[in-house]
Amino acid sequence: MAASRNTILRLINASQHTSCPCHGAHAAAHHPHGQVQAINQLRHFATPVPEREYAFEVAASNLRFGDGVTREVGMDLKNMKAKKVGVFTDANVAKLRPMQSAIAALEAESDLPFEVYENVSVEPTEASWRDAIAWARKHDFSHFLAVGGGSVIDTAKAANLFTVYKDADLMDFINAPIGKGLPIKQTLRPLIAVPTTAGTGSETTGTAILDITSRAFKTGIANRALKPVLGVVDVHNTESCPTAVQISAGLDVLFHSLESYTAIPYTERVPRPANPILRPAYQGSNPVADIFSLWALQTTVKNLPRVAKEHDDPEARRQMLLASSFAGIGFGNAGVHLCHGMSYPISGLNKKGPKYKHPGYVTDLPIIPHGISVALTGPAVFEFTAPSAPDRHRQVLAIFNGTTVTDPSILKIADRDLGAHVYEAIARFLDGLGVPRGLKAIGYKSGDIGMLAEGTLPQRRVLDLAPGIGDIVGSDGREHITKILERSFDY
């Protein structure tokens, strides 16, 4: 007779992490083989236990990269036989060269009507999305053009989706369990994305993020149907981007690549979808995403400090734009995990709590830029995940140390000590970029840890990809998340 699920979970809880050095024990065994193998055996006998995934898919937008290619977007939309174009930007970008170039490209084409929406919020919320959606529905655009950072591109994705789904509510497509997470079955209108920051990689992905202010955290919609048909990556468009914004955006690239490279393998993700349309955009690490993520990581570690030191270094900016798109392809198919999952309440609760305003951002409102909110837990997260895949974390350490995995200084480190070395390497890198040293530095109190952990738990689409959480049946990760936040409080 098959064992009951409660019996299986008791066996798992009794065995998990007892010999894993990242969770307080001291034995040398790690969970990639012995523990996961035992769990998989338990899964085999449990009833019912969802079947593990056996396939992965690769999807990304078409990309065009070059100096000055924004001038081509009018021709692109004309070639697509656009009847009416909805152009999305924000109040700052609306005054700058990228938007001026895009408008000139549209005006150069005959019989190409367009309307401009420049009220996108820097950190989109339910309210700002609903306003943009209502505007787009009123015009019923045949095509969309987004010129701006991730907030602009994500808002345009939402406007596109709800233009097609005219009667749907916002929560119908928001990721479960926060929203209903319904599949997108209808074909959306063509969207061209022109990024003005080297960060989100939103021009390549089907992900759109917003702040659920009523619950004080971020989430979003993740579906391949949202991805732009074309990302126009123009080096000229980051010339006007302030240094503080470039650093924060670059940190997003850094952790997109780190998290996707270290996510659980796609074969460990459960449940296997009953229909391919239900296969999530975030699938776990896989051979294709690994290539893009690793290149993006190497490129960012090399070039982001150059951008921080010299704003007008065109080659460093060019490399960061490439890294942003590469990381977008990587995480857009593999997913992110703990840093992003914890960043959502860190930034969301700031508006009611510390009210921290990051230097260099043009806004009167409290703001922890997304890249900063992700980076704050970075050292502790990868200290925690290191035992899950020592070889991958050894590669990460080598990159931060500017060497290779065959360097004796890397080879001599025992697996049990690897997490501590990765922690120090990431912390040192963040120090060089002027990132606040932990949650305390931006105004959080030790008593806020429980609230931040509570805000992280609903982020299942990313937590379920986290080693040590997503690969453990029946674990929501609360204990580990709390310890990571405590470790990130002050360093």
Side-chain angles (χ1 to χ4, degrees):
M1 179 181 296
S4 71
R5 184 171 180 82
N6 288 338
T7 299
I8 296 299
L9 293 180
R10 282 199 301 272
L11 288 168
I12 292 171
N13 290 331
S15 64
Q16 70 183 21
H17 303 301
T18 56
S19 59
C20 176
C22 67
H23 304 299
H26 302 286
H30 305 306
H31 50 251
H33 300 293
Q35 179 183 312
V36 170
Q37 183 179 7
I39 290 165
N40 291 340
Q41 290 171 346
L42 292 172
R43 283 176 173 168
H44 178 71
F45 291 107
T47 57
V49 172
E51 290 186 286
R52 287 184 300 158
E53 180 61 276
Y54 69 105
F56 70 92
E57 300 180 13
V58 179
S61 306
N62 291 329
L63 288 175
R64 180 181 300 143
F65 184 89
D67 295 8
V69 288
T70 305
R71 70 171 67 97
E72 298 181 353
V73 296
M75 290 182 281
D76 288 320
L77 289 160
K78 192 71 174 179
N79 292 340
M80 294 177 187
K81 298 180 170 49
K83 295 178 181 178
K84 188 177 184 181
V85 182
V87 184
F88 284 76
T89 192
D90 64 44
N92 291 325
V93 176
K95 305 169 188 175
L96 302 176
R97 175 177 174 176
M99 190 60 178
Q100 293 167 358
S101 298
I103 295 298
L106 295 172
E107 291 177 338
E109 301 300 316
S110 60
D111 194 26
L112 183 61
F114 63 90
E115 299 285 344
V116 178
Y117 181 88
E118 57 182 53
N119 295 325
V120 173
S121 296
V122 175
E123 296 282 334
T125 64
E126 295 159 278
S128 73
W129 266 23
R130 290 185 191 279
D131 186 75
I133 289 165
W135 181 82
R137 281 174 167 171
K138 180 176 67 176
H139 288 283
D140 194 28
F141 296 110
S142 67
H143 292 67
F144 290 83
L145 174 65
V147 183
S151 297
V152 170
I153 299 172
D154 289 1
T155 299
K157 290 175 181 177
N160 186 4
L161 172 63
F162 290 98
T163 292
V164 172
Y165 284 87
K166 291 186 179 297
D167 298 321
D169 180 71
L170 189 61
M171 287 296 165
D172 286 347
F173 296 102
I174 295 290
N175 300 309
I178 300 159
K180 295 180 181 178
L182 297 179
I184 299 173
K185 297 181 178 180
Q186 297 188 50
T187 301
L188 305 190
R189 313 286 167 84
L191 163 65
I192 296 177
V194 184
T196 59
T197 61
T200 68
S202 189
E203 70 276 6
T204 73
T205 75
T207 301
I209 302 297
L210 81 163
D211 190 345
I212 307 293
T213 53
S214 60
R215 299 186 65 178
F217 57 62
K218 291 185 178 183
T219 186
I221 305 172
N223 191 294
R224 293 182 191 86
L226 288 178
K227 72 180 188 300
V229 296
L230 175 64
V232 175
V233 185
D234 185 341
V235 178
H236 290 330
N237 289 343
T238 59
E239 289 174 353
S240 56
C241 185
T243 299
V245 177
Q246 292 201 47
I247 292 172
S248 177
L251 290 169
D252 203 16
V253 180
L254 183 76
F255 288 98
H256 281 158
S257 54
L258 276 168
E259 290 172 68
S260 54
Y261 185 61
T262 58
I264 65 170
Y266 72 95
T267 52
E268 289 297 318
R269 183 174 51 77
V270 294
R272 179 191 302 176
N275 186 306
I277 197 172
L278 301 175
R279 182 166 284 122
Y282 289 3
Q283 303 164 90
S285 59
N286 61 75
V288 175
D290 286 350
I291 293 171
F292 287 93
S293 298
L294 197 57
W295 189 90
L297 175 61
Q298 293 168 324
T299 302
T300 301
V301 169
K302 179 180 179 181
N303 289 281
L304 185 55
R306 289 175 57 185
V307 170
K309 182 178 180 180
E310 180 54 64
H311 176 274
D312 294 325
D313 184 333
E315 182 56 28
R317 286 192 295 104
R318 180 177 290 106
Q319 290 300 311
M320 284 305 303
L321 268 171
L322 275 174
S324 178
S325 294
F326 271 52
I329 295 170
F331 91 86
N333 290 284
V336 289
H337 54 77
L338 288 167
C339 294
H340 275 75
M342 287 185 282
S343 78
Y344 299 140
I346 287 171
S347 58
L349 289 165
N350 180 55
K351 296 177 179 64
K352 298 178 180 179
K355 294 184 173 59
Y356 174 82
K357 181 181 175 184
H358 195 65
Y361 274 70
V362 184
T363 177
D364 295 327
L365 300 174
I367 184 171
I368 304 173
H370 177 62
I372 299 294
S373 69
V374 170
L376 289 167
T377 61
V381 162
F382 294 99
E383 180 181 46
F384 171 82
T385 61
S388 70
D391 288 349
R392 289 186 177 236
H393 288 75
R394 203 173 294 276
Q395 177 70 68
V396 165
L397 178 61
I399 290 170
F400 276 104
N401 286 358
T403 186
T404 67
V405 292
T406 59
D407 188 313
S409 68
I410 302 296
L411 285 174
K412 72 179 182 181
I413 300 171
D415 285 357
R416 65 177 177 273
D417 299 325
L418 191 56
H421 285 267
V422 172
Y423 179 103
E424 291 298 332
I426 295 175
R428 184 171 61 248
F429 184 81
L430 298 179
D431 282 346
L433 297 171
V435 176
R437 289 184 65 88
L439 298 169
K440 182 180 179 181
I442 61 170
Y444 277 108
K445 308 297 183 185
S446 58
D448 297 327
I449 296 296
M451 185 169 52
L452 292 171
E454 195 67 33
T456 301
L457 289 172
Q459 311 295 333
R460 298 317 313 178
R461 72 187 179 95
V462 294
L463 295 185
D464 288 346
L465 295 171
I469 296 174
D471 53 357
I472 306 299
V473 175
S475 171
D476 67 0
R478 181 188 297 270
E479 178 184 353
H480 300 314
I481 289 165
T482 301
K483 289 181 179 178
I484 292 169
L485 288 166
E486 290 172 344
R487 183 84 166 111
S488 303
F489 184 70
D490 187 14
Y491 61 86

